[in-house]
Amino acid sequence: MKLVYFAWVRERIGRPEEELTPPAAVATVADLVTWLRGRGEEYIHAFENPGVVRAAIDRVHAKPDATITGAREIAFFPPMTGG
């Protein structure tokens, strides 16, 4: 699956996107974040407060308990403000 990172999430991870295949046990957005945090310091830093980072599955906003089965793209981004 393709993971896309925006704004300070991208800056902390050090790349705009990547293709990864998480283990079968990774079933939700929250599971994915936990798994990503195990990949290194840059992910720990990006997801140090997982409740702040937002996610979208195939360009649709998703909650942490949303299933990622069959997802082609998951994007992570900080909260947005209007203006």
Side-chain angles (χ1 to χ4, degrees):
M1 90 182 36
K2 181 178 183 178
L3 301 182
V4 183
Y5 309 111
F6 292 97
W8 56 256
V9 178
R10 176 185 62 233
E11 292 169 10
R12 291 177 181 184
I13 290 174
R15 65 188 69 157
E17 62 186 48
E18 60 187 327
E19 291 280 338
L20 293 175
T21 304
V26 175
T28 66
V29 170
D31 294 342
L32 181 59
V33 168
T34 299
W35 180 72
L36 286 170
R37 287 176 50 89
R39 292 181 47 87
E41 290 295 321
E42 64 272 33
Y43 295 95
I44 292 170
H45 185 53
F47 296 105
E48 65 189 353
N49 186 353
V52 171
V53 177
R54 304 291 186 246
I57 299 173
D58 294 328
R59 300 185 181 197
V60 176
H61 287 268
K63 295 189 182 267
D65 62 352
T67 184
I68 63 170
T69 304
R72 291 179 310 246
E73 177 186 276
I74 299 178
F76 291 102
F77 48 92
M80 296 172 275
T81 60

